[in-house]
Amino acid sequence: MQTLEAIHKRCSLKLHLSKKPVEPEKLEQVLEAARLAPSARNLQPWHFVVVQGDEAIEELALAFSESNQVVREGSTLIMVCAREEDDVSPGGRPYYLFDLGLAVENLFLAATDLGLCTHPILSFDEDEARRILEIPEEYRVVLATPLAYPAEASYDEAAVDKLGERTRKDLAEIIHYGKWGS
Ligand SMILES: Cc1cc2nc3c(=O)[nH]c(=O)nc-3n(C[C@H](O)[C@H](O)[C@H](O)COP(=O)(O)O)c2cc1C
């Protein structure tokens, strides 16, 4: 798959997920894509906690609200963490969050390329997730994503393509050539 195709195909899953295990080689490829992301001063502030196994996922799901229980469906759940104290921004704009965003998008595109589903989720009980996963206090638990195959019963290539037709603002609404008003 070409990069542009993966960009077009990636979508936060609106399908059900399969418990089919993600092969270790695929997991490694996806994490490697995240590892290669750029970061401010090359600080690479990210840590990824990979949660697998029904029991561990069920326990972690307690940190998620009713509307985000999709996290229970897949075979793998990844929690993305970083320390605020590693932030190198001069103030105002926390660079480490940009760094995490870039790493996560790399991870998403690699997953799409390998036929895996992802879904960024930020709304969860951070303290509860930190406690369950024994993440050190100084780390923020910023984002969660399932990494899983789509459930076969719900998988239909045409339907997935259709889901990929996103609601996005027109380019004209967000691009300013030269000056803002143009
Ligand atoms: C920073 C961020 C936080 C998000 N948090 C949640 C969330 O808590 N729950 C959820 O269901 N989706 C969440 N999403 C998914 C977005 O709703 C989704 O990316 C958006 O609707 C665009 O859809 P697409 O990813 O399929 O293109 C989040 C996405 C981002 C980028």
Side-chain angles (χ1 to χ4, degrees):
M1 192 186 288
Q2 299 294 310
T3 309
L4 286 176
E5 191 185 349
I7 289 171
H8 281 273
K9 281 204 158 176
R10 183 217 57 82
C11 67
S12 301
L13 53 99
K14 284 138 187 130
L15 303 163
H16 289 290
L17 297 176
S18 163
K19 284 284 179 192
K20 176 182 168 185
V22 174
E23 297 83 343
E25 317 78 64
K26 288 198 177 181
L27 176 62
E28 194 179 326
Q29 277 179 282
V30 163
L31 296 173
E32 175 70 356
R35 189 179 75 94
L36 293 176
S39 60
R41 288 198 208 156
N42 198 24
L43 197 65
Q44 307 161 62
W46 42 67
H47 283 257
F48 303 88
V49 183
V50 180
V51 182
Q52 294 182 305
D54 283 353
E55 207 177 309
I57 288 178
E58 283 296 321
E59 187 186 10
L60 185 53
L62 297 173
F64 291 79
S65 66
E66 202 54 48
S67 61
N68 284 319
Q69 287 300 309
V70 65
V71 295
R72 298 169 62 198
E73 291 186 7
S75 59
T76 304
L77 193 51
I78 299 177
M79 307 297 285
V80 185
C81 314
R83 282 194 305 194
E84 275 176 323
E85 69 182 61
D86 283 337
D87 191 34
V88 294
S89 66
R93 290 174 300 157
Y95 289 180
Y96 81 101
L97 292 177
F98 288 102
D99 298 339
L100 292 198
L102 292 167
V104 167
E105 182 67 355
N106 267 15
L107 183 154
F108 285 171
L109 293 179
T112 304
D113 194 24
L114 296 169
L116 295 163
C117 295
T118 54
H119 185 158
I121 297 178
L122 263 78
S123 104
F124 54 82
D125 184 332
E126 184 184 1
D127 289 334
E128 184 70 347
R130 193 186 289 109
R131 184 190 65 75
I132 293 169
L133 299 175
E134 300 174 9
I135 293 167
E137 200 59 41
E138 66 270 24
Y139 280 84
R140 300 299 309 263
V141 191
V142 179
L143 182 143
T145 180
L147 178 74
Y149 285 99
E152 277 177 37
S154 69
Y155 195 74
D156 162 352
E157 183 83 33
V160 171
D161 281 346
K162 202 154 176 51
L163 289 173
E165 292 167 14
R166 346 293 166 87
T167 327
R168 289 291 194 266
K169 293 179 182 174
D170 288 336
L171 275 182
E173 234 184 297
I174 56 170
I175 308 293
H176 307 268
Y177 287 104
K179 293 192 179 186
W180 186 277
S182 53

